[in-house]
Amino acid sequence: MPAPDPAAAQQLAEAQQRASAEAERAAQLQAALDAVTRALNPNGGEAEQEPAALAAAVAERDRLLAENATALRSARVELAVARVAADQGARGDRLLNSRSFLASVADLDPADKGFDDALTAAIKAAVDTDPDLYRAASTGPTRGGAEFNGAPTTPNKPTTLRDAIAARLGA
């Protein structure tokens, strides 16, 4: 067996040191990756750590967010229609039941500055198209004053005994 070469032994020792340093660095990187994974997914389920499962969960949350945004926009438009219709003398309930009216306000965005003006114009156009259907019936003035049907017809009771006897005897 030949004697070990001191240069080869030193190269071997340096390679072992580099390998252990790289292993330590890999362990640190894995620990950092695990910390980021725990921060992103605090529940920590193994199925949820798969990229495909995470992508599906994000897509489902995006879909639900879009549905909620649409429902919120629709509710804001309906509330605005009821408010503006009352101011314009129109029936908001009938306007909201009309497909043609809803189609005319479908593109309006409640967040826009000109939303109220555009909605008022759409309501006026709908009322002008069919005033019998959309115009609110006027209630007229409130009733007041006296009845003109004459005095109340309550039976006259005699106030004294003499009047009672006279009424009974027919005198």
Side-chain angles (χ1 to χ4, degrees):
M1 192 163 166
D5 185 19
Q10 185 176 355
Q11 286 178 346
L12 179 63
E14 288 175 2
Q16 287 176 342
Q17 285 178 346
R18 282 193 305 260
S20 65
E22 290 299 320
E24 184 179 326
R25 184 171 177 231
Q28 289 174 350
L29 289 175
Q30 184 61 43
L33 179 62
D34 291 342
V36 168
T37 302
R38 280 191 305 273
L40 291 176
N41 187 12
N43 296 339
E46 287 297 321
E48 292 183 17
Q49 291 180 0
E50 296 177 18
L54 287 173
V58 167
E60 178 65 16
R61 286 181 186 152
D62 288 346
R63 185 188 64 77
L64 290 174
L65 184 62
E67 282 180 11
N68 288 338
T70 302
L72 177 62
R73 184 197 161 282
S74 176
R76 290 176 75 189
V77 168
E78 288 179 13
L79 179 63
V81 167
R83 180 181 43 84
V84 173
D87 293 342
Q88 296 298 319
R91 295 206 41 196
D93 59 335
R94 289 193 178 173
L95 287 168
L96 291 172
N97 285 333
S98 169
R99 288 184 188 195
S100 62
F101 175 75
L102 290 177
S104 70
V105 297
D107 295 333
L108 298 180
D109 184 14
D112 288 343
K113 290 182 181 180
F115 173 73
D116 288 336
D117 296 333
L119 183 62
T120 302
I123 289 174
K124 284 181 181 178
V127 170
D128 291 343
T129 302
D130 194 355
D132 294 334
L133 180 62
Y134 298 123
R135 186 166 311 282
S138 64
T139 58
T142 58
R143 212 173 138 183
E147 289 286 330
F148 294 108
N149 297 337
T153 57
T154 57
N156 292 336
K157 291 187 176 183
T159 55
T160 64
L161 181 60
R162 181 173 177 200
D163 292 339
I165 294 172
R168 180 74 174 166
L169 296 177

